[in-house]
Amino acid sequence: MSMFKVFDISGSAASAQSQRLNTVASNLANADTVAGPDGKAYKARQVVFQTELMGAGGALGADGSAGVRVTTVREDDTPGRRVHDPKHPGADADGYVTYSNVSAIEEMVNMISASRSYQNNIEVMNTAKGLLLKTLQMGQ
Amino acid sequence: MINRLTDALSFQTEALVLRSERQRLISGNIANADTPGYVARDFDFAQALREATAAAPATGADAGAGAGARRASAVLRYAAPSQTNLDGNSVDMDRERAAFADNSVKYEATLRFINGSVRTMLDAMRSHHGG
């Protein structure tokens, strides 16, 4: 019964989206973090999605169910913004404070997109569940 | 003898299996809405059903195996992207949601057709006792 695989597919996608949401939460929490004594500030992290083939053959054939998995969590290497604030305890020798390179706007957009995709997958699972329950009552 | 009872249902059975297959494909597309490079896939339901039911030696023990092989040969097509995307993803969420809703309703309709046929047959069996 191929409909049962819908739960694997949508479940993997929901899990991947929730990891994306976790990353966004971590980024937003660290949006105003300044560099520590080592001079390195927090770097924004992004998850990278990849199609995960769940079919028996593993190829994109007739049975190639396409789930999602997170392959890597990439760190954004753009330099963080520097603010001149000599009185700040985190200021370097020139009086500059290095903040993290998190862009709050980008993260908010990312959050909304992840949340919508998560909801979509949950809805797909609910529909599949309803249809399967009705299939169980077939002939009654 | 029992074949005559099940033959009436075999068309709807094929349709139901193809519907669930399509449901799985569409949910795969929705799951990969944010995956870079993923290309949305779908198949022509009418054509697949025609192929599944046309050359059907629906009698005999190998009918089930034959149907499985025919289903496996259903051609998967790649959806033409309606809007180009920088990451190469061709999932059109509006289209997929519409196809998903459409397919769920039709799956349920097929189920009701089967239930209706079963009820008709049961009524036919019972009528002897009642009248």
Side-chain angles (χ1 to χ4, degrees), chain B residues 45-98:
Chain B
F45 183 83
Q47 195 193 337
L49 185 58
R50 226 175 288 130
E51 282 171 9
T53 51
T59 52
D62 63 340
R70 282 195 305 281
R71 272 196 298 280
S73 68
V75 185
L76 287 187
R77 294 199 185 152
Y78 294 103
S82 56
Q83 294 176 52
T84 48
N85 217 337
L86 264 185
D87 62 358
N89 185 301
S90 80
V91 177
D92 181 348
M93 209 47 184
D94 301 325
R95 188 179 56 198
E96 299 301 335
R97 288 288 299 261

Side-chain angles (χ1 to χ4, degrees), chain A residues 1-2 13 17 20 49 51 60-62 64-68 117 120-121 123-124 127 131 134-135 138-140, chain B residues 20-21 23-24 27-28 30-32 34-36 38 41 72 76 78 93 97 100 104 107-108 111 114-115 118-119:
Chain A
M1 193 67 194
S2 58
Q17 296 291 352
R20 182 177 169 201
F49 286 169
T51 304
L60 272 171
S65 304
V68 187
S117 298
N120 268 329
N121 284 299
E123 207 173 305
V124 166
T127 309
L131 289 177
K134 277 178 186 133
T135 314
M138 181 158 56
Q140 283 178 12
Chain B
S20 76
E21 197 84 353
Q23 196 82 353
R24 183 176 62 84
S27 62
I30 293 179
N32 281 285
D34 296 321
T35 312
Y38 180 84
R41 298 171 302 158
L76 287 187
Y78 294 103
M93 209 47 184
R97 288 288 299 261
F100 188 81
S104 329
Y107 181 92
E108 212 175 319
L111 263 183
I114 293 179
N115 282 339
V118 169
R119 211 162 294 135

Side-chain angles (χ1 to χ4, degrees), chain A residues 6-17:
Chain A
V6 170
F7 294 109
D8 295 338
I9 297 170
S10 297
S12 74
S15 151
Q17 296 291 352

Side-chain angles (χ1 to χ4, degrees), chain A residues 3 5 13 16-17 31 53 57 64 87-89 97 104 119 125 137:
Chain A
M3 188 90 96
K5 280 195 187 137
Q17 296 291 352
L53 295 170
K87 277 182 284 190
H88 196 287
V97 186
Q119 287 172 18
M125 277 197 272
Q137 294 170 354

